[in-house]
Amino acid sequence: MQKNESRKGQRKMAALTIATSLVTVPLSAGSGHAAAQRPHELETSVFSESARAETRAYGSKPRGRATQVERVANMTELAAAMGRIQPGGVIEMADGVWKDAEIVFRAEATADRPVTLCAKTPGKVILEGNSKLSVQSPHLIVDGLHFKQSTPTNTGVVISLNSDYGRLTNTAIDNYNPPNTNTRYQWVYINGDYNTVDNNYFAGKNHSGPLLAQHRDSKHNTVARNHFKDIPFHNENGREIVQVVGYGDNEELGSDGAFMTIEYNLFEHADGEGAEIISLKSNHNLVRYNTFRGSRGGIVGRSGNNNTIQGNFILGEKIEGTSGIRVSGQNHTVIQNYVADTTGIGLTLTSGEYYVDADGKPGYLTPSYEPIFRPNTPYGLVPTYGQVKNGLFAFNTFVNNGSEDIHIGYWYKNHWPRKQLVLLPENNKIQYNLSYKAPGSVPSVTNSVYAPPQDRMPPLDVFEFQPNHYKGNAVIGGQVALHTNQGTQGFQILNSKMRKLDNGIHELAPGQMDINAGRRHFQTDHDQKLRSRGVWLDPGGDGSAIRALLNRPLTGADVGPNWMP
């Protein structure tokens, strides 16, 4: 290992040791936040997760002393080694180019004695041509491979995890694209439960289909500390970087879901379709502590309910098409995020579609309505977007975004009457958010917070919505335009100042704000810079022990394989 690689690994492990010693919820693939509870009282709430005994430090060596090491130099030897390998063993691939290697990884393994397929020297096993890898048994680990700059013609998923409790780590897929960019497949596909995809590098994908996706029935998988980089923009739906489908994609409200954790990843100029970088289409997912740099699109709760989006840095770098967070559906928690310098909206709460009546039949407000019929769904049809209800949107910071920082009821009456997006967000808690627009930063935007007026003419006069609950929000350099009978209650327009730190993040200058006890937490170790304890804000807690990794955006040194410079 070269010296610069070693230093990167040392820096990464030091940072990880700090992070995992402070986070009070488990980071393992089995951390599954299956509990449906989402307590919304900031003063007392804690994110409830089923605990496991250990906390995983991503990036640690995936194996200890092997009981058996099989060294292989070609596909024939690899197949024979899989027949001999015992639980706890390692299959070590010889350095060099492996061309058209279609690997089907099977072995008998256990949780305590996994089997590892690895490169002799991490990063030096180069898979080219039509190479691909399929993991077919539980408790298998893939470590240190490099799928590099090829144009496969035998297309299909590059790496598939087709079992449970697997791990893909320390691996790279770099510009591994078919000749035709319209060819659709994923680079990584998960078809199983409790799998982990961590510390990998994915760069240059230019063809159709999500980069990483999972089967609708898969649950409790984790995507962590990966580096997604230089994914070019192509205006085609379905090119998300990470797509999470599962129970809830048809707006089911039950306790089931995908339960995926997406955390500590770096998305750097990762555009794809340019709308949804992370696309949640399922219930009960956790997206936290990721960093987005100059990537078109944003974090999107496209469908599903009970998702948590926490502590992410979204840095648009003023690149066209960048945006923050958009959600539809019920019971979401969006807290402690930092969204800056996007050209779009910081936080979007969509309008929902009225699509079924009280009898569960298609809800035609006018004869022009065009429902989305979908077989095998609770009502036989689904809404364009679910109504945003009963959510918590708190302690988020928005800095110099090109459009509104908070838009409550986006797409209201869009495509009316063909679509019926007439259900305004209701009964949400929108609390202690900070909106800041420096003088001259976005001259064409005057409204920092906006909610459209409700149309009360027939046939829309039948709708009455519960009020949203605004408290302790602050706006600096913009206006609030809530077209409701609440006016600007819960918002204060201030003439305060912010300062820019060495890492580019803005914070309130000392002594600039004194709204109330809750709002002052932006000036303490519980602020949006993630000086928290890794879970929910606890205004009475002590954040003095929080260290560097949780109060700054991630860089390439924090993520990806340890063998990359």
Side-chain angles (χ1 to χ4, degrees):
M1 181 176 293
Q2 297 179 358
K3 289 183 179 179
N4 64 334
E5 295 170 341
S6 178
R7 284 197 299 269
K8 176 178 179 179
Q10 290 171 359
R11 289 196 305 269
K12 189 178 299 182
M13 284 307 300
L16 289 165
T17 301
I18 291 170
T20 54
S21 67
L22 294 167
V23 174
T24 58
V25 291
L27 299 181
S28 64
S31 62
H33 32 285
Q37 299 95 325
R38 288 291 189 273
H40 282 176
E41 289 303 320
L42 286 175
E43 290 74 17
T44 59
S45 60
V46 174
F47 189 80
S48 178
E49 297 190 7
S50 56
R52 288 183 58 167
E54 79 286 356
T55 295
R56 174 174 305 209
Y58 294 119
S60 60
K61 268 306 231 188
R63 59 185 183 274
R65 180 175 296 177
T67 57
Q68 175 188 6
V69 178
E70 296 282 345
R71 295 179 173 87
V72 300
N74 54 54
M75 290 296 293
T76 300
E77 293 179 0
L78 177 57
M82 288 184 196
R84 293 191 299 268
I85 200 72
Q86 298 296 311
V90 170
I91 302 175
E92 184 182 274
M93 298 174 66
D95 293 350
V97 174
W98 291 61
K99 188 175 179 62
D100 299 331
E102 298 191 21
I103 302 171
V104 180
F105 185 18
R106 291 190 177 94
E108 182 180 348
T110 66
D112 295 332
R113 303 180 70 192
V115 170
T116 299
L117 174 67
C118 69
K120 177 182 178 181
T121 306
K124 298 298 184 182
V125 170
I126 310 298
L127 293 119
E128 294 182 350
N130 289 314
S131 296
K132 60 184 64 175
L133 170 66
S134 173
V135 177
Q136 296 293 129
S137 305
H139 303 296
L140 301 185
I141 297 169
V142 176
D143 175 26
L145 307 185
H146 191 178
F147 290 79
K148 185 176 181 181
Q149 297 176 346
S150 291
T151 54
T153 56
N154 182 14
T155 55
V157 177
V158 180
I159 300 176
S160 55
L161 302 175
N162 292 321
S163 190
D164 304 328
Y165 300 101
R167 184 179 182 191
L168 171 66
T169 188
N170 208 28
T171 290
I173 307 178
D174 183 4
N175 286 280
Y176 207 76
N177 296 306
N180 187 342
T181 60
N182 292 321
T183 303
R184 182 180 178 86
Y185 61 89
Q186 299 87 12
W187 278 11
V188 178
Y189 187 73
I190 303 173
N191 185 9
D193 302 338
Y194 297 102
N195 294 286
T196 300
V197 178
D198 71 280
N199 289 95
N200 302 293
Y201 178 79
F202 304 110
K205 178 183 175 294
N206 70 1
H207 61 88
S208 183
L211 190 154
L212 188 154
Q214 70 169 30
H215 189 276
R216 188 179 188 274
D217 294 333
S218 297
K219 296 180 176 64
H220 301 288
N221 295 301
T222 296
V223 176
R225 296 205 178 280
N226 302 288
H227 194 175
F228 300 89
K229 186 176 182 182
D230 296 336
I231 314 298
F233 169 64
H234 190 91
N235 188 17
E236 177 193 16
N237 188 35
R239 290 181 180 237
E240 303 97 326
I241 309 304
V242 179
Q243 181 196 75
V244 188
V245 298
Y247 179 89
D249 59 347
N250 298 312
E251 297 303 331
E252 299 94 336
L253 289 170
S255 60
D256 203 355
F259 305 103
M260 179 178 275
T261 298
I262 304 170
E263 61 186 359
Y264 298 105
N265 299 284
L266 173 59
F267 298 82
E268 190 172 13
H269 303 289
D271 298 337
E273 67 175 29
E276 302 179 14
I277 302 171
I278 294 177
S279 180
L280 303 178
K281 301 179 179 180
S282 49
N283 296 346
H284 299 294
N285 299 292
L286 176 60
V287 180
R288 64 180 178 183
Y289 310 148
N290 303 283
T291 296
F292 302 78
R293 295 179 180 272
S295 298
R296 295 174 67 116
I299 303 173
V300 177
R302 178 59 184 85
S303 54
N305 307 281
N306 295 285
N307 290 313
T308 295
I309 301 171
Q310 178 185 7
N312 302 281
F313 284 94
I314 303 176
L315 310 175
E317 301 177 352
K318 297 297 184 183
I319 292 175
E320 186 64 31
T322 54
S323 59
I325 299 166
R326 168 163 55 93
V327 297
S328 61
Q330 302 185 30
N331 306 314
H332 295 309
T333 299
V334 179
I335 59 173
Q336 296 174 284
N337 300 284
Y338 182 96
V339 182
D341 296 316
T342 72
T343 59
I345 301 172
L347 173 61
T348 302
L349 281 58
T350 66
S351 295
E353 184 159 46
Y354 178 77
Y355 70 110
V356 291
D357 61 20
D359 298 320
K361 304 296 183 182
Y364 287 88
L365 294 173
T366 76
S368 300
Y369 177 45
E370 299 176 5
I372 303 174
F373 291 101
R374 186 177 297 174
N376 303 316
T377 59
Y379 298 107
L381 69 163
V382 295
T384 303
Y385 294 98
Q387 185 185 17
V388 181
K389 297 174 62 174
N390 309 322
L392 173 65
F393 305 89
F395 289 91
N396 301 291
T397 293
F398 307 97
V399 176
N400 296 336
N401 294 298
S403 189
E404 298 97 342
D405 286 328
I406 304 176
H407 192 126
I408 305 159
Y410 193 65
W411 287 321
Y412 182 65
K413 292 190 67 179
N414 193 41
H415 299 303
W416 171 266
R418 182 170 58 87
K419 296 296 181 184
Q420 296 182 166
L421 294 168
V422 298
L423 301 181
L424 290 169
E426 62 176 334
N427 198 37
N428 299 287
K429 293 182 178 180
I430 301 173
Q431 302 178 346
Y432 306 120
N433 299 288
L434 172 62
S435 166
Y436 174 71
K437 296 186 187 300
S441 62
V442 281
S444 62
V445 178
T446 57
N447 290 326
S448 295
V449 182
Y450 179 79
Q454 180 182 350
D455 186 342
R456 295 187 177 275
M457 297 296 292
L460 304 182
D461 56 337
V462 298
F463 294 107
E464 292 291 338
F465 302 110
Q466 299 178 63
N468 295 303
H469 307 283
Y470 304 102
K471 179 181 178 181
N473 301 287
V475 174
I476 304 171
Q479 300 298 319
V480 177
L482 298 179
H483 294 281
T484 68
N485 57 11
Q486 295 171 276
T488 60
Q489 181 180 356
F491 289 86
Q492 290 197 33
I493 309 297
L494 300 174
N495 186 25
S496 299
K497 295 180 181 179
M498 296 189 76
R499 63 181 181 182
K500 191 173 184 179
L501 304 179
D502 291 341
N503 60 16
I505 301 305
H506 286 77
E507 70 171 7
L508 286 166
Q512 289 295 311
M513 183 179 295
D514 187 13
I515 297 179
N516 53 41
R519 184 64 242 180
R520 282 198 299 273
H521 286 283
F522 276 108
Q523 298 173 267
T524 72
D525 283 341
H526 294 286
D527 65 10
Q528 37 67 34
K529 293 182 300 173
L530 309 188
R531 291 171 183 163
S532 70
R533 296 172 305 178
V535 287
W536 288 42
L537 287 178
D538 176 5
D542 179 12
S544 60
I546 301 304
R547 297 295 186 264
L549 186 63
L550 294 184
N551 69 2
R552 61 167 175 82
L554 298 169
T555 69
D558 302 311
V559 297
N562 59 22
W563 49 266
M564 297 194 77

